[in-house]
Amino acid sequence: MKAKQILTIGVAAILFSVAKVDVSHAQPTAVPTTTVQSVGTVSAFSSGSIAIRPEQGDKPVRYSSSSTTTFMDENGAPVPLVMLKAGVPVTVDYVRLGDRLIARRVIVLRSLAVGPAIVEKKAIMTASVETN
């Protein structure tokens, strides 16, 4: 009987030590709720980040992007990622998570990215024929 009690206590101790989870290192993930907006031009773009040179600044700011980051134009239409080239003006909606800036939405300012509209002028030309 004593051996059975010792065995039961031993098994319980092993199960307890395996089941015990150290949560002292786990921190609850705080989801930021304040979105900040930044305006500038694309300096560099890759699949996981986008660097923007702010309007009032000379040093590019790097934002992390992910599959949840949306890229759109001013009207909310999706924009192909090939549009994100150096020099393209954008607005970035982002949140700060620790020391990282996470881009939630990148708005490509097409009116400035496409360039000025080409104005076609039509002129009516008349021909005069001289006869001798």
Side-chain angles (χ1 to χ4, degrees):
M1 180 80 168
K2 200 171 194 178
K4 189 175 181 183
Q5 285 179 333
I6 293 174
L7 181 61
T8 304
I9 293 172
V11 169
I14 291 171
L15 289 176
F16 180 74
S17 67
V18 171
K20 184 180 175 186
V21 177
D22 183 16
V23 293
S24 62
H25 299 315
Q27 303 261 338
T29 305
V31 178
T33 56
T34 305
T35 301
V36 183
Q37 197 171 68
S38 177
V39 179
T41 57
V42 175
S43 175
F45 177 72
S46 69
S47 62
S49 70
I50 183 169
I52 306 297
R53 185 176 309 280
E55 286 181 330
Q56 279 75 34
D58 56 341
K59 185 178 176 186
V61 177
R62 186 162 302 276
Y63 301 90
S64 296
S65 61
S66 68
S67 61
T68 61
T69 304
T70 56
F71 297 90
M72 62 183 62
D73 66 11
E74 297 160 311
N75 298 320
V79 170
L81 298 181
V82 296
M83 291 277 300
L84 296 170
K85 301 176 191 170
V88 172
V90 293
T91 299
V92 179
D93 293 345
Y94 68 94
V95 293
R96 183 177 294 275
L97 187 59
D99 60 345
R100 293 179 53 203
L101 304 176
I102 312 295
R104 286 190 169 170
R105 181 171 62 171
V106 177
I107 302 168
V108 177
L109 305 176
R110 283 187 188 236
S111 60
L112 299 174
V114 172
I118 297 174
V119 178
E120 183 178 330
K121 291 186 178 182
K122 293 183 179 180
I124 299 175
M125 297 182 68
T126 58
S128 61
V129 179
E130 282 187 34
T131 56
N132 284 339

